[in-house]
Amino acid sequence: MHLDATTMTGAPPSRGGSSAPARGRTRTAVRPTGVERDFGQDELIVSKTDLRGIITYANDVFLRVGAYSLDEVVGQPHNLIRHPEMPRAVFKLLWDTVSSGQELFAYIVNLSADGAHYWVLAHVTPSYDARGTLSGYHSNRRRPDPRAVAQVRPLYARLLEEEARHSSARAAVEASSALMGELVAGQAADYERYVWSVIGPEGS
């Protein structure tokens, strides 16, 4: 199995869920507007993907905050909502972790269809079928504490600067991943411990 480090941002029947892949749509680039969108403290953004990172389910909160209809997301790659200000290194870590059968928490900024952005504290877990075989991925996202986002922004900006120095995606991800390890080492043993060291979700 191969997973692109940029596939999920992040990081999937009726409005709020369907397993049928969408067909016949073309994706157009969304330009960020700089407008930040919020959602309720008690709300969860939920999505599911298959092993390739293709969205198989999205709940109503996902659709409302992302400014998408269900038909526009099911069958599409989860990087549909990838914001250009998200470092590739974070997604590489996410996919490396969940594809190995482990869960990961991560701070992620997502991009809505109308160009707005929204920050989340994502909890991404592997999903298994009745035989215990890895079958996809499940992501729950809640509103992060603004103080945590304020601390994460400078880290992500540094990682993006490092990625911009390299001409190939592979080199950019490798360099950014190494830098991320160095930068978080001052506060925590690894990225996930860093996530909790910069203040957890509101209400925790």
Side-chain angles (χ1 to χ4, degrees):
M1 176 186 64
H2 171 71
L3 290 170
D4 190 313
T6 64
T7 301
M8 185 174 186
T9 61
S14 67
R15 182 174 174 82
S18 175
S19 57
R23 303 177 186 277
R25 296 194 308 274
T26 57
R27 296 174 58 189
T28 57
V30 176
R31 180 172 298 178
T33 62
V35 175
E36 184 163 5
R37 179 163 294 144
D38 201 1
F39 58 101
Q41 181 176 325
D42 297 326
E43 290 187 302
L44 280 180
I45 295 174
V46 181
S47 59
K48 299 178 184 178
T49 74
D50 64 15
L51 291 174
R52 298 174 300 148
I54 302 300
I55 297 173
T56 59
Y57 171 87
N59 76 343
D60 288 345
V61 186
F62 180 110
L63 300 174
R64 189 189 78 238
V65 177
Y68 282 103
S69 68
L70 182 65
D71 185 59
E72 290 174 316
V73 299
V74 171
Q76 294 293 327
H78 207 288
N79 66 5
L80 179 75
I81 60 172
R82 184 183 187 276
H83 196 287
E85 293 180 6
M86 267 304 299
R88 296 182 181 186
V90 176
F91 290 124
K92 180 180 188 304
L93 174 64
L94 189 156
W95 280 113
D96 286 350
T97 302
V98 298
S99 63
S100 68
Q102 303 176 64
E103 64 180 1
L104 186 74
F105 287 88
Y107 287 108
I108 294 176
V109 58
N110 288 329
L111 183 64
S112 299
D114 58 4
H117 67 274
Y118 56 100
W119 281 88
V120 300
L121 174 56
H123 179 209
V124 187
T125 59
S127 300
Y128 299 90
D129 62 22
R131 296 174 295 177
T133 302
L134 183 65
S135 59
Y137 305 99
H138 182 282
S139 178
N140 287 333
R141 280 147 287 172
R142 64 183 68 243
R143 189 176 76 182
D145 190 306
R147 294 168 295 175
V149 172
Q151 293 192 56
V152 170
R153 283 182 187 272
L155 169 65
Y156 285 8
R158 287 283 306 278
L159 298 179
L160 287 169
E161 289 175 4
E162 180 62 31
E163 291 175 5
R165 295 178 57 247
H166 302 272
S167 58
S168 75
R170 180 180 294 276
V173 170
E174 290 177 353
S176 183
S177 297
L179 178 60
M180 182 167 67
E182 295 173 9
L183 294 176
V184 303
Q187 290 185 243
D190 54 34
Y191 174 82
E192 186 159 14
R193 290 180 176 85
Y194 168 79
V195 165
W196 298 113
S197 75
V198 295
I199 309 169
E202 289 185 352
S204 64

